[in-house]
């Protein structure tokens, strides 16, 4: 497969920032995040005992989240995920019936012609086979650390692991399937008791806080839109108008005013990452999309989505009303762990929810990074992770280490500590400063 590498320099140029590349992320690839691996890119914090791990993970590779009219890409790259559900409180049967999802695009369906990808077995925005493999690999990589190296988690998953491992996904199916595959990598067959059963937790969509929620907080939409009319964003639109027009003409959406202003990188990147044809103009077969078109288009999308948190006139408001509610949960959970741990025993079972996994979206990870990380930190790739580790040093002090793309996160200057080992109270006070004191008041649009 062609390797897509969008260096930060490319994204920065397209976002009207300085063109200097950050060496730490020269190996960044939008198609595949980088996980830390024991004895290769990961080392324990010397002289300290691990107390808690909080993981935010973007789902794996997926199909486009929307479909362009006339898109005839064949997305025959999705499997049939096996699922079994039981009503709350029901007992497990000895041999539960496994159910498999099947996406059907039938020639007899009159709505399908020209309105859906032909000969495809994927739903819009579905986790692909490649995405499932990515999620399992992340689970396996983290098993090498937290099971094999640190013995923080047990070698075998017990029957009732919910006090040990907390799994949560959004209501979008690809994040659920990502969580399922991650768990399978963390505890593959042969490393679970016969009656082991983990819970996938999910918030109702109307109160979801793993993503910006303009329904629950209308001010978030206002803060986001404020960036889209700034000179910085409009300048980027003007500078990239020619490239955007070229891509839209090849995609056949040049007559749609919507795409005159919005980047179409989401329609191209799944093709690129899965080594599918990028597409040619239907009126000129020699006029085709290139790898650079794909890179540039997704970089424009990155800037549009990350800018409101970093460069918009309401950036600080954006962090509070979009990221703040989830930061509150991270902070509350961490404070509970510190309060209950009492000693540096290293036993995960003795602390509150020692291993938390949040299967979510690129924007979910980015809104947290917008608070804690240097603003030039790259956009979350498929199956990328932000990992917060809380360690207790020999002195008794708790420190937080943050990892992203397999490396220590370069800290936001306002944090005033290194995220290689930031005093927990310093870290908590900083992220809690972005938690709304009166959520109803701050979310209200006057």
């Amino acid at each position: 497969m062609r390797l897509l590498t969008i260096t930060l320099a490319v994204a920065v140029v397209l976002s009207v920032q300085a063109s200097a590349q950050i060496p730490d992320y020269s190996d960044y690839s939008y198609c595949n995040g980088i996980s830390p691996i024991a004895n290769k890119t990961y080392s324990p914090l010397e002289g300290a005992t691990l107390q808690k791990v909080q993981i935010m993970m973007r789902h794996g590779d997926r199909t486009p989240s929307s479909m362009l009219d006339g898109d005839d890409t064949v997305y025959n790259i999705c499997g049939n995920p096996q699922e079994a559900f039981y009503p709350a409180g029901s007992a497990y049967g000895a041999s539960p019936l496994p159910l498999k999802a099947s996406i059907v695009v039938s020639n007899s369906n009159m709505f399908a012609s020209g309105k859906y990808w032909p000969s495809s077995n994927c739903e819009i925005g579905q986790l692909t086979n490649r995405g499932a493999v990515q999620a399992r690999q992340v689970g396996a990589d983290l098993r090498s650390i937290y099971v094999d190296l640190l013995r923080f988690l047990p070698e075998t998953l017990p029957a009732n692991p919910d006090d040990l491992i907390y799994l949560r996904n959004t209501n979008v199916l690809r994040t659920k399937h990502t969580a399922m595959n991650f768990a399978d990598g963390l505890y593959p067959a042969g490393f679970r008791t016969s009656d082991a059963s983990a819970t996938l937790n999910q918030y109702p969509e109307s109160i979801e806080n793993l993503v910006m929620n303009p329904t629950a907080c209308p001010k978030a939409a206002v803060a986001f839109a404020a960036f889209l009319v700034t000179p910085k964003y409009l300048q980027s639109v003007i500078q990239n108008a020619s490239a955007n027009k070229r891509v839209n003409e090849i995609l056949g959406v040049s007559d749609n005013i919507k795409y005159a202003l919005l980047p179409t990188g989401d329609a191209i990147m799944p093709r690129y990452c899965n080594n599918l044809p990028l597409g040619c103009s239907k009126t000129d077969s020699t006029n085709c999309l290139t790898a650079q078109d794909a890179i540039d288009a997704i970089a424009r999308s990155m800037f549009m989505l990350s800018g409101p948190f970093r460069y918009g006139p309401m950036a600080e408001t954006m962090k509070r009303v979009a990221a703040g509610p989830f930061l509150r949960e991270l902070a509350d959970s961490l404070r509970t762990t510190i309060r209950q741990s009492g000693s540096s025993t290293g036993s995960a079972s003795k602390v509150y929810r020692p291993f938390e996994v949040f299967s979510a979206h690129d924007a979910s990870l980015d809104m947290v990074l917008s608070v804690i990380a240097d603003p030039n930190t790259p956009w979350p790739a498929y199956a990328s992770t932000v990992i917060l580790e809380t360690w207790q040093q020999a002195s008794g002090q708790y420190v937080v280490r943050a990892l992203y793309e397999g490396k220590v996160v370069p800290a936001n200057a306002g944090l005033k500590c290194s995220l290689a080992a930031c005093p927990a109270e310093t870290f908590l006070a900083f992220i809690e400063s972005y938690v709304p004191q009166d959520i109803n008041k701050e979310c209200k649009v006057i």
Side-chain angles (χ1 to χ4, degrees):
M1 188 192 81
R2 295 164 294 182
L3 174 65
L4 169 66
T5 300
I6 308 172
T7 63
L8 189 59
V10 173
V12 166
V13 167
L14 290 166
S15 62
V16 202
Q17 298 299 302
S19 60
Q21 181 178 340
I22 296 179
D24 283 350
Y25 295 109
S26 60
D27 54 354
Y28 169 79
S29 167
Y30 180 87
C31 292
N32 204 121
I34 300 172
S35 300
I37 303 174
N39 301 318
K40 292 184 179 179
T41 57
Y42 179 93
S43 298
L45 198 62
E46 188 174 352
T49 303
L50 185 61
Q51 296 291 334
K52 191 178 188 74
V53 179
Q54 295 168 297
I55 301 167
M56 289 142 279
M57 178 179 179
R58 183 188 179 184
H59 57 75
D61 179 81
R62 61 159 171 80
T63 58
S65 58
S66 62
M67 184 178 171
L68 304 178
D69 284 349
D71 185 355
D72 57 3
T73 305
V74 178
Y75 283 107
N76 192 22
I77 54 175
C78 299
N80 296 322
Q82 188 171 349
E83 301 179 1
F85 298 96
Y86 302 85
S90 296
Y92 282 85
S95 300
L97 174 66
L99 301 175
K100 295 182 179 181
S102 178
I103 304 299
V104 179
V105 181
S106 171
N107 290 334
S108 63
N109 185 338
M110 298 174 66
F111 293 128
S113 179
K115 298 293 184 181
Y116 207 80
W117 304 307
S119 303
S120 298
N121 69 340
C122 297
E123 176 59 274
I124 290 173
Q126 183 177 346
L127 190 73
T128 64
N129 292 332
R130 183 172 180 274
V133 171
Q134 288 175 323
R136 286 196 298 275
Q137 186 60 54
V138 173
D141 290 344
L142 299 192
R143 178 182 175 86
S144 77
I145 296 172
Y146 300 112
V147 176
D148 301 336
L149 177 65
L150 300 180
R151 305 295 180 188
F152 182 68
L153 294 175
E155 182 178 21
T156 300
L157 189 69
N160 298 301
D162 288 351
D163 289 338
L164 187 68
I165 299 175
Y166 176 80
L167 298 170
R168 181 178 150 201
N169 55 271
T170 67
N171 74 318
V172 180
L173 201 55
R174 62 180 173 269
T175 68
K176 176 182 175 182
H177 290 160
T178 294
M180 292 165 62
N181 281 280
F182 171 88
D184 197 47
L186 185 66
Y187 281 103
F191 294 96
R192 315 176 206 128
T193 59
S194 60
D195 56 348
S197 170
T199 300
L200 282 177
N201 297 278
Q202 178 181 311
Y203 283 10
E205 183 178 13
S206 61
I207 58 172
E208 180 61 78
N209 61 19
L210 276 171
V211 292
M212 181 183 81
N213 190 338
T215 300
C217 187
K219 181 64 73 66
V222 173
F224 188 95
F227 170 69
L228 301 183
V229 295
T230 61
K232 181 181 287 291
Y233 182 71
L234 294 177
Q235 181 184 4
S236 74
V237 171
I238 294 171
Q239 288 182 342
N240 292 290
S242 177
N244 206 45
K245 180 181 179 182
R246 164 183 154 74
V247 170
N248 290 348
E249 286 178 347
I250 294 174
L251 292 174
V253 295
S254 57
D255 293 335
N256 191 328
I257 187 62
K258 170 183 175 181
Y259 297 107
L261 299 176
L262 299 179
T264 47
D266 181 74
I268 306 172
M269 290 313 301
R271 305 178 190 181
Y272 195 105
C273 293
N274 287 280
N275 204 27
L276 299 172
L278 296 180
C280 298
S281 169
K282 288 182 169 52
T283 59
D284 180 1
S285 61
T286 65
N287 186 19
C288 301
L289 294 173
T290 66
Q292 194 61 51
D293 289 329
I295 292 172
D296 292 349
I298 197 62
R300 292 194 291 272
S301 298
M302 291 175 186
F303 182 50
M304 182 187 73
L305 296 172
S306 66
F309 289 87
R310 293 166 175 81
Y311 315 118
M314 299 178 69
E316 292 303 298
T317 297
M318 193 71 187
K319 294 174 187 176
R320 292 181 64 82
V321 299
F326 179 60
L327 292 174
R328 161 73 181 274
E329 294 202 13
L330 286 178
D332 285 356
S333 178
L334 178 49
R335 286 196 179 279
T336 301
T337 293
I338 292 174
R339 190 166 56 247
Q340 292 184 358
S341 64
S343 65
S344 56
T345 62
S347 173
S349 63
K350 295 183 181 299
V351 298
Y352 173 74
R353 275 184 11 194
F355 198 82
E356 298 177 339
V357 180
F358 302 90
S359 178
H361 307 268
D362 47 0
S364 309
L365 277 62
D366 185 67
M367 70 182 188
V368 172
L369 290 171
S370 75
V371 173
I372 69 172
D374 182 277
N376 287 323
T377 304
W379 185 257
Y382 288 135
S384 56
T385 53
V386 174
I387 303 174
L388 303 178
E389 297 179 331
T390 300
W391 297 79
Q392 187 177 26
Q393 297 177 318
S395 64
Q397 182 184 33
Y398 291 90
V399 296
V400 174
R401 177 166 68 172
L403 305 174
Y404 174 61
E405 284 292 300
K407 308 169 181 69
V408 172
V409 174
N412 184 312
L415 190 50
K416 301 190 183 308
C417 69
S418 167
L419 285 171
C422 182
E425 192 52 49
T426 299
F427 180 81
L428 285 165
F430 184 75
I431 66 172
E432 287 172 338
S433 71
Y434 285 93
V435 175
Q437 297 301 304
D438 185 337
I439 188 67
N440 293 324
K441 181 178 179 179
E442 293 195 39
C443 283
K444 184 177 180 181
V445 176
I446 300 176

